[in-house]
Amino acid sequence: MKRREALAKLTGRERYVDDLPLQDFLWGMTVRSPAPRGRVTAIRFGEDVDWSQFVVVDHRDVPGPNVVALIEQDQPVLAAGYVRHVHEPVLLLAHPSREAVRRAVRSVEVVVAPEPPALDFRITPTPEWIQYGTDNVLKRLQIVKGDVERALAQAPVVVSGTYETGAQEHVYLETQGMIAYLEGDVLVVKGSMQCPYYVLKALQHALARDGPLVRVIQTPTGGGFGGKEEFPSHIALHAALLALKGGRPVKLIYDRGEDMAATTKRHPALVRHRTGLTRDGRLLAQDIEVVIDGGAYVTLSPVVLSRAIIHAAGPYACDHVRITGRAMFTNAVPFGAFRGFGAPQSQFAGERHMDVIARTLGIDPIELRRINLLRDGQTTATGQVIRDGTDRLVVMEQALELSRYREKQRQHAAFNATHATLRRGSGLATFYHGAGFTGGGEVALQSRLRVAGRPDGRVEVLSANIEMGQGTLTVFTELAATRLGLAPEDVTIAEADTARVPNSGPTVASRTTMIVGALVERAADDLRRRVGLDDSARGAAVKEAIQRWHREHPGEGEPLFGEAAYEKPPDIAWDDKTYRGDAYGAFAWAAYVAEVEVDLRTCATRVIDFVAVQEVGKVLNPALAKGQVQGGVVQGIGWALMEECKWRDGAMANNQLTNYLIPTSDDVPSVRVAFLENPYPHGAGGAKGLGELPIDGPAPAILNAVARATGADPRAIPLTPERLMELLDGPASVGAQHAAPLR
Amino acid sequence: MLRPYGRPMAALSVSFSLNGSPVTVDVDPSARLLDTLRYQLGLTGTKEGCGEGECGACTVYLDGLPVNSCLIPTYQVRGQRVATVESLDPGALEPFERCGATQCGACTPGVVMTAWWIREHPELLGTHSIRELMAGNLCRCTGYDGIVDSVAEALRETGSGRRET
């Protein structure tokens, strides 16, 4: 089935939040902190503005607790006399003219008595930097399997390495935006978001408004990638506060500069590996330390850290593993959810480290992986027994074949021996990604979903899971239509409006198709039973039964719907206290190969071929699935090679698309995609989660390729030309490794 | 501190051709064509992505050439022909639907405008690849394969495709 809303998007008819008609409204804007840390001593309103024309909101206007409700209740809606990061919201302004409100924001001066900020998450904080607990550690987690110290002491070889990854900006093409207005007593907030019920909860909490007095509606969302997971709660609260005080609808749309400066990014990370092996490359012990920069508030950092450490050991069998994780407080703009959610950081380190091990031991990186890849019956770092029947060696072998890896290696050797200035190489990454919330998370979410039967016999899926480009509308349509034997035209997907749809959980964590999709199937079954049919009834019989039900229940009778609630598969168990057990219901498995060409004159790296092979359960919609992989790979190429946040006082200094570069069509090759299918019994139609997997693999595959092409030993991303030049030519370069390219 | 807070200048009356019909608007001298189209004329198909000419989401045709409407002062289009995504024939967009040119849709109208222009000027492919010609339109979802394939397919259907990528 073709993407449902494709034509509306192609013709420009799809209406995003800034496209909606709105009458007699105010434009809202945010006044932000100029300093990373300190007491707000004064707020000066310029005399060149007639302030009587403006709605002005500060922290005293927050009716309930001044916090944006999330994991911890530590982040204020508006700073109350103290700021912890540059761009922290202090004041809100609204006015009928957008130009006037822009000028007014520039006329407000927030005066801060500065205090020493913590700006480097990698170093132990000095006493004057401590602002969270006794050591600025937002969260500490540990996974222990076996006895890593003893195994390391006895290992014939120990290879150590330290790896770093930078922040990444989401660059969803539609910036963040919200509209808020009162409809009678009901506060309505509409906008671009991934998690309508997160926004609802935050509004109810800080505005001290009862459930029915707040309604949240998702508008077509122009990309999210995690950036619209937790952040929209802030902008929704800001728009709502202005609308409540101003008594008129308020529209608050960030321009690109504000969006890049003030919203979350991917957590920077530092990962250290100490690995014990036999001389022929069998893993004996993995000691891994993962440190991430959380920024100035807790936000989602504890769960990002959780996913980072669970994925840190890679898809390999090892009896002795210790993974420690820390999320550090700094006075940076808070970091947040971004596709992959910690796993890309820890797997960049792990997969780059595998090639460092291979080079140290003098063995082939493929052979190293072949020896250690998980076989069915073996366990992950958390003790989860892998027994899904997928042959991970076949996944790798297919990637090698499709990329003609071995043949290319010979060609590269010949090319590199003769070419004056160009060097080519291929690199591999084998990796995995767990789908759904970690551990007991899915149980805690208690997701519910309905499929309603309409008087005309058509059905409507009522879910809080949203479309942001990844294909929810199309896949839910296909699932309901297939289950009930209906045509796709007989299925509609309800707008994600909290006044109508049950809470089927957030649209995150590669969970929508696999977990929520299964609720679509079960709610469809339930609907069929409620109209007196058994599970074999399909098509016209279902439509007629629904129509008959409505004829027999005329007027105001109870609506007809089938319902399903999440039920934990019986064969998975997780202990959050010990971090042991089944971290995820299912893992998707992948092997990616990047081929690069490095220009030794400019030190620019170009990816000239990319092969992405993955096993993701049953592929429900091949075209959409391929698009997810290709988009994720290109986002990963950007993170690996060009996307660099430049920091000034913990805030992004290059907050423009002019100097924060993302890949264009001319920067990347065609991404060649192949799927292996091994249906997952608990996923919708046999599917496993897919959305995040593709961003885990590109960065390590590309850096492994650069290492092979040039002989350099890059350990940090983004590997910009400047960084590679330092490695190849700089005084601090890696010495002996800067010799001739590997032959 | 720089505070560009002058008095608003008198509105200018600007007449131009919009999607084939004459139109006259009163605009502030600093108004961008993008905002005039979206907020004054209600043509919200043209999107703002970056506001600085980097992303191409706001692409329209000015006298037949694709331009970033966020960089064009409205007064400059006086007497000229402006065409937006709303002027395209939806029926001819099928290859874009089929080949996965759109995901989230925020870059899509701009992508479609540039793609359509390539389709109308196939001679460009003698000197440029589709990837080069599309490089002024940023997309964060598709990885560009869906877009490049769609352009190639649209060219093939019009019988004018020469180079694949």
Side-chain angles (χ1 to χ4, degrees):
Chain A
M1 181 180 161
K2 280 190 279 192
R3 174 180 292 277
R4 248 197 121 133
E5 78 291 3
L7 199 57
K9 286 175 170 173
L10 289 163
T11 54
R13 289 200 316 264
E14 187 82 311
R15 295 216 174 201
Y16 299 80
V17 60
D18 193 24
D19 304 335
L20 296 173
L22 196 63
Q23 304 303 320
D24 189 29
F25 69 98
L26 308 175
W27 285 97
M29 266 192 90
T30 313
V31 177
R32 301 178 179 282
S33 165
R37 181 190 177 190
R39 203 162 47 80
V40 178
T41 55
I43 296 175
R44 298 193 183 123
F45 292 83
E47 288 172 6
D48 52 350
V49 173
D50 177 4
W51 292 101
S52 68
Q53 295 180 8
F54 286 81
V55 181
V56 181
V57 164
D58 70 17
H59 67 92
R60 294 166 299 184
D61 294 304
V62 181
N66 181 19
V67 292
V68 183
L70 202 62
I71 293 174
E72 299 285 335
Q73 315 291 325
D74 64 330
Q75 188 171 18
V77 180
L78 291 168
Y82 197 90
V83 290
R84 295 198 185 277
H85 65 84
V86 172
H87 303 315
E88 180 156 8
V90 177
L91 211 65
L92 305 166
L93 304 177
H95 186 276
S97 155
R98 193 178 205 180
E99 215 20 66
V101 76
R102 281 180 173 149
R103 285 194 300 262
V105 164
R106 289 194 291 264
S107 281
V108 181
E109 188 187 357
V110 178
V111 184
V112 176
E115 295 176 29
L119 292 174
D120 191 340
F121 76 102
R122 298 167 301 182
I123 55 179
T124 307
T126 60
E128 70 270 21
W129 293 346
I130 302 294
Q131 294 157 74
Y132 193 93
T134 57
D135 52 9
N136 275 0
V137 177
L138 296 172
K139 184 73 178 181
R140 225 183 221 103
L141 289 171
Q142 189 170 46
I143 294 170
V144 177
K145 178 188 187 185
D147 183 346
V148 81
E149 285 298 343
R150 209 176 61 151
L152 277 172
Q154 294 172 351
V157 192
V158 174
V159 180
S160 300
T162 301
Y163 306 88
E164 286 189 63
T165 62
Q168 185 180 25
E169 161 58 32
H170 304 85
V171 198
Y172 29 72
L173 258 284
E174 181 212 23
T175 56
Q176 307 246 8
M178 289 283 168
I179 289 170
Y181 55 90
L182 276 170
E183 218 169 58
D185 291 336
V186 178
L187 172 71
V188 181
V189 177
K190 282 186 177 179
S192 192
M193 66 183 79
Q194 294 175 228
C195 314
Y197 274 89
Y198 283 10
V199 175
L200 182 73
K201 180 182 162 195
L203 288 167
Q204 288 169 340
H205 187 74
L207 301 180
R209 279 180 100 80
D210 288 340
L213 294 181
V214 189
R215 179 178 169 194
V216 175
I217 303 170
Q218 179 253 357
T219 53
T221 296
F225 314 111
K228 293 171 184 172
E229 177 169 348
E230 75 277 28
F231 194 86
S233 296
H234 296 252
I235 190 164
L237 275 161
H238 294 168
L241 286 166
L242 284 167
L244 290 172
K245 189 163 183 181
R248 284 161 77 180
V250 166
K251 176 150 134 172
L252 212 170
I253 310 283
Y254 287 175
D255 67 17
R256 181 61 62 185
E258 183 173 19
D259 194 297
M260 293 178 85
T263 71
T264 56
K265 322 224 170 308
R266 184 185 300 289
H267 291 71
L270 173 79
V271 183
R272 294 193 187 89
H273 276 258
R274 216 158 47 112
T275 310
L277 304 108
T278 62
R279 292 199 185 282
D280 57 3
R282 194 161 58 79
L283 288 171
L284 300 174
Q286 292 173 285
D287 188 18
I288 306 169
E289 182 189 8
V290 179
V291 189
I292 65 171
D293 187 350
Y297 293 102
V298 174
T299 67
L300 294 171
S301 295
V303 272
V304 171
L305 181 69
S306 167
R307 192 174 276 271
I309 66 165
I310 288 171
H311 287 78
Y316 305 111
C318 183
D319 290 334
H320 304 282
V321 183
R322 179 175 61 201
I323 309 167
T324 59
R326 274 178 296 139
M328 297 302 297
F329 173 97
T330 62
N331 292 96
V333 180
F335 297 95
F338 194 144
R339 191 182 209 165
F341 211 69
Q345 292 94 317
S346 64
Q347 293 198 89
F348 163 74
E351 282 305 289
R352 182 71 198 101
H353 188 58
M354 287 300 272
D355 270 39
V356 168
I357 289 170
R359 185 184 282 188
T360 306
L361 299 186
I363 61 177
D364 188 332
I366 297 166
E367 189 55 26
L368 180 66
R369 288 173 173 86
R370 187 190 314 285
I371 293 166
N372 293 294
L373 275 171
L374 282 162
R375 270 68 166 178
D376 263 17
Q378 294 180 318
T379 59
T380 66
T382 65
Q384 178 165 0
V385 183
I386 298 300
R387 51 189 162 205
D388 60 11
T390 294
D391 188 336
R392 285 153 284 277
L393 295 176
V394 169
V395 176
M396 180 172 77
E397 198 50 49
Q398 180 143 359
L400 297 173
E401 267 173 39
L402 264 176
S403 62
R404 297 189 293 124
Y405 182 92
R406 295 176 181 88
E407 182 188 336
K408 286 269 182 70
Q409 264 194 306
R410 290 189 292 276
Q411 291 172 1
H412 292 158
F415 180 89
N416 293 343
T418 54
H419 203 286
T421 54
L422 300 179
R423 294 292 178 267
R424 289 183 184 162
S426 290
L428 169 71
T430 48
F431 57 100
Y432 59 166
H433 199 93
F437 265 35
T438 301
E442 287 296 338
V443 174
L445 280 175
Q446 299 184 304
S447 300
R448 290 185 304 119
L449 181 142
R450 288 178 178 177
V451 175
R454 297 283 160 235
D456 62 0
R458 300 169 77 201
V459 302
E460 181 181 31
V461 178
L462 295 135
S463 123
N465 291 91
I466 60 91
E467 174 70 51
M468 53 179 158
Q470 86 286 37
T472 302
L473 297 179
T474 308
V475 169
F476 280 8
T477 300
E478 285 180 307
L479 286 169
T482 304
R483 199 69 165 191
L484 297 172
L486 300 174
E489 306 83 73
D490 289 330
V491 179
T492 57
I493 311 292
E495 185 175 57
D497 172 352
T498 58
R500 280 200 74 214
V501 300
N503 186 358
S504 54
T507 309
V508 304
S510 308
R511 67 185 293 276
T512 304
T513 296
M514 175 174 114
I515 287 172
V516 188
L519 299 183
V520 173
E521 294 181 330
R522 286 177 38 224
D525 291 346
D526 189 45
L527 172 67
R528 188 160 37 195
R529 284 192 290 272
R530 289 192 194 203
V531 294
L533 299 174
D534 64 39
D535 286 357
S536 66
R538 298 171 54 75
V542 174
K543 275 181 100 162
E544 283 159 19
I546 292 170
Q547 289 164 346
R548 187 167 58 244
W549 187 96
H550 279 280
R551 283 197 302 276
E552 290 168 2
H553 300 78
E556 304 299 310
E558 78 267 36
L560 172 64
F561 58 82
E563 192 163 35
Y566 176 76
E567 286 168 19
K568 184 176 76 69
D571 50 348
I572 62 173
W574 172 255
D575 183 343
D576 207 48
K577 290 190 188 68
T578 60
Y579 254 63
R580 305 293 300 160
D582 301 309
Y584 301 98
F587 286 98
W589 311 97
Y592 287 4
V593 176
E595 183 183 8
V596 303
E597 183 174 277
V598 178
D599 188 329
L600 295 177
R601 294 163 299 185
T602 61
C603 293
T605 301
R606 196 175 168 82
V607 179
I608 56 176
D609 187 30
F610 202 100
V611 165
V613 176
Q614 46 263 303
E615 192 282 293
V616 295
K618 180 84 181 112
V619 174
L620 298 188
N621 184 311
L624 292 183
K626 184 175 156 194
Q628 280 286 291
V629 174
Q630 290 171 326
V633 166
V634 168
Q635 209 167 42
I637 292 174
W639 187 47
L641 292 176
M642 62 177 77
E643 296 184 30
E644 181 162 40
C645 296
K646 296 282 190 187
W647 300 106
R648 191 184 297 138
D649 290 335
M652 191 179 186
N654 55 330
N655 57 325
Q656 295 173 278
L657 290 179
T658 299
N659 45 25
Y660 180 85
L661 303 182
I662 67 168
T664 71
S665 54
D666 199 31
D667 294 322
V668 294
S670 177
V671 177
R672 300 192 283 143
V673 179
F675 293 104
L676 299 171
E677 295 179 282
N678 175 20
Y680 168 56
H682 304 297
K688 296 193 281 197
L690 167 65
E692 296 173 284
L693 175 81
I695 201 152
D696 292 347
I702 289 165
L703 264 74
N704 287 340
V706 172
R708 288 187 82 81
T710 64
D713 184 13
R715 306 240 175 146
I717 55 168
L719 184 62
T720 57
E722 293 89 336
R723 276 227 175 86
L724 184 57
M725 188 170 283
E726 276 179 22
L727 290 178
L728 293 172
D729 303 332
S733 80
V734 282
Q737 284 155 0
H738 171 219
L742 291 180
R743 299 271 146 74
Chain B
M1 188 177 165
L2 186 67
R3 287 182 191 156
Y5 186 48
R7 283 178 194 290
M9 281 184 275
L12 298 173
S13 178
V14 181
S15 297
F16 57 100
S17 155
L18 178 60
N19 296 336
S21 303
V23 61
T24 299
V25 285
D26 290 333
V27 297
D28 187 272
S30 66
R32 306 180 300 174
L33 179 58
L34 170 64
D35 295 328
T36 303
L37 291 170
R38 288 178 51 78
Y39 300 129
Q40 237 176 313
L41 296 164
L43 295 181
T44 53
T46 305
K47 308 297 180 193
E48 172 161 355
C50 69
E52 55 176 354
E54 289 291 336
C55 78
C58 64
T59 302
V60 300
Y61 304 149
L62 185 56
D63 278 352
L65 284 174
V67 296
N68 291 309
S69 62
C70 71
L71 298 182
I72 307 286
T74 303
Y75 73 81
Q76 277 193 356
V77 308
R78 177 172 282 162
Q80 291 186 281
R81 284 177 293 120
V82 175
T84 68
V85 68
E86 284 88 355
S87 70
L88 300 184
D89 168 18
L93 295 175
E94 197 277 335
F96 296 85
E97 201 178 351
R98 175 161 33 94
C99 299
T102 183
Q103 288 188 22
C104 87
C107 75
T108 301
V111 164
V112 167
M113 289 298 277
T114 304
W116 195 271
W117 189 73
I118 298 168
R119 179 182 177 273
E120 300 294 297
H121 298 85
E123 67 279 5
L124 290 166
L125 295 168
T127 48
H128 297 78
S129 69
I130 293 173
R131 283 187 180 271
E132 285 168 340
L133 293 167
M134 288 304 307
N137 289 85
L138 296 178
C139 168
R140 195 58 154 168
C141 294
T142 63
Y144 300 107
D145 275 299
I147 292 170
V148 172
D149 293 349
S150 298
V151 178
E153 186 67 9
L155 284 161
R156 200 185 59 76
E157 286 184 5
T158 58
S160 51
R162 268 183 261 169
R163 281 173 54 179
E164 274 293 295
T165 50

